[in-house]
Amino acid sequence: MSKKVLLLPGDGIGPEIVAQAVKVLDVLKSNHGLDIEMTEGLVGGAGYDAAGHPLPEATMQAAKEADAILLGAVGGYKWEALDISVRPEKGLLGLRSGLQLFANLRPAFLYPQLADASTLKPEVVSGLDILIVRELTGGIYFGQPRGIRTLDSGERQGYNTYVYSESEIKRIGHVAFQAAMKRNKKVCSVDKANVLEVTELWREVMTGLAKEYPEVELSHMYVDNAAMQLVRNPKQFDVVVTGNMFGDILSDEASMLTGSIGMLPSASLDANNKGMYEPSHGSAPDIAGKNLANPLATILSAAMMLRYSLGREDLALKVESAVSEVLDQGLRTGDIYSEGMTKVSTSEMGQAVVNVLAK
Ligand code: IPM
Ligand code: MG
C-alpha cells in the first residue's frame, strides 16, 4: 500500500526548497519504485494567512493521517508582531507536541568536498560526523506554568518552567544509546547539572540507562563547556544527547562546523518512527523567492524520511550519494560557494540531484 507523505512548505524559502525535494521524490517514484502519495498542507505564516492559525485544524488532521511529513520552514518578518500564541513557530511546536515527535535527530556531517566552506580550519572539521539527539516535546519549551505576569509592585515579570520527568529523559536516552550502537558507541549527555536540579535528574537517569548499554561509553558535559568543545575539538563527539533548548542552540552551532546550515537535515520521530522531516535551517525571509537558497538540507531530509519512516534505506543511500555527486561536480549554491566552483540556483541544484538519480 502506498504511504502517505504530507508536504508542508510553510514560509519564506520553504516552498522553493520543498519543491526541489518533491522533484527528487518524483523521480524515485517513476524510476525506483517508490510508492508514496503526496498531499500538501498549510502551516506557519501561510496557515495563519489562510485560516487564521499557524496550525489549521485541517493540517493537524492530515498530519495525523500521514506516515511522514516533509516541512520546509516557518516564520518571517511579516508575522513577527503577532501575538506569541499565533506566531508561525507555534505551528511547528504544535505539530511536534501534537504528534509526540519527541526525538529530534540532527546530524552534523561534513561532506569532504566542503571542508573549505567551514569557518573553522579544515583539520579541525575534516571527517566530522556528529549526531545531536535533541529532546523535542518537553523541557522549557513546553513547561508549565509560563507567561508574563504583573507583580504587586506593578512591574511585569516573564517566567517559564524547565521540567523533565524521568520517563521523558529515559525515552530520549534510549534513542541516543541505540543510535550510538550503530555508530561509534559514544554518547555525550549535555546538561547544566551544576546549577539546575532538572538536569541533575537528567544526568542521574542517563547514568542509570548506560548500564543497559555496556558497549556504549557515556560521558557528561556541562552545556557551556559543550559549546566550547564543539568549536575547539568537535571530532571528540559521536552522539550528543540533550534537552530541548540546549539542543536547539548546540545544533545551530554544530551546523556551522559543516560549512553551512544549508546542508543539514533533521528528523523528528515518535515512538513508532512516524516522523516529520525538515531542514535544520529557518525560513530565511531575506532571500525568499529569489531562487538562491540551498535545497540540499531539504533533499537530505527527504532521504532521512525514506530511511526512518518509509522503509527505503536503499533509496536514502541513493539520494545521499547523489548529493555527494553534485558536490563532486563542483555545483554550489551561494552559502557553500568557494572560488573555482560553479554557482547554481536553488532549482538548478535540485535538478542536478534529479539528473543523477535519473541516470
Ligand atoms: C529549530 C527552530 C525552532 C526551535 C523554532 C523555529 C521554534 O529554531 O527547529 O531549531 O526553536 O525549535
Ligand atoms: Mg533552532
Side-chain angles (χ1 to χ4, degrees), residues 216-280:
V216 178
E217 179 197 317
L218 171 70
S219 61
H220 302 277
M221 204 178 269
Y222 297 140
V223 62
D224 48 350
N225 186 27
M228 181 187 75
Q229 295 297 335
L230 268 175
V231 283
R232 192 184 77 89
N233 175 20
K235 282 188 274 182
Q236 69 186 285
F237 297 108
D238 176 24
V239 174
V240 172
V241 64
T242 190
N244 208 341
M245 185 166 64
F246 295 163
D248 177 44
I249 299 166
L250 294 180
S251 60
D252 265 33
E253 187 187 4
S255 74
M256 261 326 283
L257 306 174
T258 70
S260 168
I261 196 166
M263 293 299 297
L264 293 191
S266 79
S268 307
L269 306 175
D270 74 0
N272 304 308
N273 279 346
K274 170 171 175 159
M276 181 160 81
Y277 300 83
E278 51 179 313
S280 284

Side-chain angles (χ1 to χ4, degrees), residues 74 89 92-93 96 106 134 136 141 248 252 278 280:
V74 298
E89 291 77 4
L92 193 56
L93 297 171
R96 289 173 180 174
R106 296 193 163 181
R134 167 189 177 194
L136 203 60
Y141 270 51
D248 177 44
D252 265 33
E278 51 179 313
S280 284

Side-chain angles (χ1 to χ4, degrees), residues 1-241:
M1 229 189 41
S2 65
K3 300 233 176 174
K4 288 193 192 135
V5 173
L6 175 66
L7 305 169
L8 298 176
D11 310 320
I13 58 172
E16 42 197 308
I17 53 179
V18 167
Q20 305 315 308
V22 169
K23 288 198 312 208
V24 167
L25 292 168
D26 275 334
V27 72
L28 296 177
K29 279 178 77 169
S30 49
N31 288 12
H32 297 280
L34 175 64
D35 191 11
I36 58 168
E37 235 174 73
M38 293 185 263
T39 56
E40 207 171 301
L42 295 166
V43 75
Y48 180 81
D49 288 348
H53 196 277
L55 183 52
E57 193 44 50
T59 301
M60 193 60 201
Q61 194 51 39
K64 282 187 178 147
E65 285 162 16
D67 296 293
I69 301 157
L70 185 65
L71 185 138
V74 298
Y77 314 129
K78 188 177 163 194
W79 304 282
E80 266 167 19
L82 289 178
D83 184 79
I84 195 166
S85 63
V86 288
R87 287 252 189 91
E89 291 77 4
K90 280 285 174 197
L92 193 56
L93 297 171
L95 283 165
R96 289 173 180 174
S97 81
L99 301 172
Q100 276 299 300
L101 306 172
F102 68 90
N104 186 211
L105 311 182
R106 296 193 163 181
F109 173 81
L110 181 80
Y111 280 84
Q113 300 94 323
L114 298 182
D116 289 332
S118 174
T119 46
L120 272 76
K121 295 194 191 100
E123 64 266 28
V124 175
V125 293
S126 69
L128 185 89
D129 183 2
I130 302 176
L131 178 66
I132 297 189
V133 177
R134 167 189 177 194
E135 200 291 325
L136 203 60
T137 52
I140 198 165
Y141 270 51
F142 293 96
Q144 294 289 348
R146 63 190 295 158
I148 300 175
R149 59 192 163 206
T150 304
L151 302 174
D152 290 344
S153 66
E155 190 188 7
R156 289 190 310 150
Q157 185 182 57
Y159 58 102
N160 287 87
T161 303
Y162 191 175
V163 55
Y164 269 120
S165 59
E166 277 184 284
S167 57
E168 286 176 301
I169 304 169
K170 269 191 193 145
R171 69 177 181 178
I172 194 69
H174 279 298
V175 171
F177 281 103
Q178 280 161 20
M181 287 296 289
K182 295 189 194 146
R183 297 171 46 102
N184 291 327
K185 301 197 167 63
K186 277 173 31 179
V187 170
C188 178
S189 170
V190 171
D191 61 40
K192 189 70 187 173
N194 51 344
V195 178
L196 304 172
E197 287 83 352
V198 48
T199 68
E200 192 186 336
L201 179 69
W202 177 283
R203 185 175 284 221
E204 204 183 297
V205 171
M206 287 295 170
T207 303
L209 217 54
K211 301 200 175 75
E212 295 177 38
Y213 300 89
E215 285 172 59
V216 178
E217 179 197 317
L218 171 70
S219 61
H220 302 277
M221 204 178 269
Y222 297 140
V223 62
D224 48 350
N225 186 27
M228 181 187 75
Q229 295 297 335
L230 268 175
V231 283
R232 192 184 77 89
N233 175 20
K235 282 188 274 182
Q236 69 186 285
F237 297 108
D238 176 24
V239 174
V240 172
V241 64

